[in-house]
Amino acid sequence: RALSDQIATMYPTLAANPDYTSIVADRHFERINGLIDDARAKGARIEQINPGGEELGNQRKIAPTLIFDPTDDMKVMQEEIFGPVLPVMTYGDLGEAIDYVNAHDRPLALYHFSNDASAQRRVIERTTAGGMTVNDTLLHVAVEELPFGGVGPSGIGAYHGEAGFRTFSHAKSVLKQSALNFGGALRPPFGPRLEKIAAMMIGK
């Protein structure tokens, strides 16, 4: 309820509100509405926050939408949303939430809200994500010194600052052999000498 009230305070009107944006294209407008419809059809409780009860469809605007008790078979839990839709799940303790995160594909970003330093440390140390912000969202992306990128299904590699230079550069490996070396012993024809060297290298 508190979350709904806070959103309603931020956006008392939606239709003519220049601070509340439209979805970029009809295709994405329909896709996001499809996620909501799918969740509703599969048993989720949907709460759309539209304080003025305004008609928004002709502007490609979607009211902030909370999806309570979503399940993993719902599309909204399987696809990137990119819209004003927030699935809301409950948990008994922090360990349960951590286990849920770890049982699914690695997220691009993970956000943890808590002033408990021990809880923050548990989430940081026991989860894997492309990046993380504590007590806020998105801001880790804005820090140029922090690498930004995914891990596993959420992406490969990272950019920003030095990480970006390394990702989009290629380090050329160069080995320069010295005049005095044992390389000749590793070339055919092989014999007892190589066997002794190999035995020394593997500790026999």
Side-chain angles (χ1 to χ4, degrees), residues 23-35 60 62:
I23 305 302
V24 68
D26 289 338
R27 179 167 62 91
H28 292 294
F29 177 74
E30 293 168 3
R31 178 185 61 81
I32 296 169
N33 276 312
L35 297 179
R60 290 201 311 269
I62 298 174

Side-chain angles (χ1 to χ4, degrees), residues 98-129:
I98 290 173
D99 289 343
Y100 182 86
V101 171
N102 289 336
H104 293 75
D105 289 342
R106 304 307 191 195
L108 177 61
L110 190 153
Y111 307 117
H112 176 63
F113 290 84
S114 172
N115 292 320
D116 183 332
S118 175
Q120 292 176 8
R121 187 166 56 252
R122 283 182 68 192
V123 174
I124 292 170
E125 293 177 353
R126 298 185 186 183
T127 60
T128 300

Side-chain angles (χ1 to χ4, degrees), residues 43-169:
R45 179 168 63 88
I46 310 298
E47 181 177 341
Q48 291 193 302
I49 304 167
N50 185 353
E54 300 165 287
E55 174 58 45
L56 305 174
N58 59 352
Q59 301 180 53
R60 290 201 311 269
K61 287 187 174 183
I62 298 174
T65 302
L66 303 178
I67 298 180
F68 293 96
D69 301 318
T71 54
D72 286 349
D73 65 324
M74 297 177 185
K75 292 180 181 178
V76 75
M77 298 296 287
Q78 301 171 359
E79 302 176 10
E80 293 183 300
I81 300 172
F82 291 116
V85 177
L86 180 66
V88 179
M89 302 181 68
T90 60
Y91 60 92
D93 57 48
L94 185 59
E96 183 181 340
I98 290 173
D99 289 343
Y100 182 86
V101 171
N102 289 336
H104 293 75
D105 289 342
R106 304 307 191 195
L108 177 61
L110 190 153
Y111 307 117
H112 176 63
F113 290 84
S114 172
N115 292 320
D116 183 332
S118 175
Q120 292 176 8
R121 187 166 56 252
R122 283 182 68 192
V123 174
I124 292 170
E125 293 177 353
R126 298 185 186 183
T127 60
T128 300
M132 183 172 175
T133 295
V134 177
N135 288 329
D136 215 318
T137 63
L138 298 173
L139 291 183
H140 66 286
V141 181
V143 180
E144 187 65 22
E145 291 77 13
L146 290 177
F148 175 74
V151 57
S154 63
I156 297 174
Y159 65 100
H160 283 184
E162 181 180 346
F165 176 80
R166 293 187 179 279
T167 294
F168 297 109
S169 301

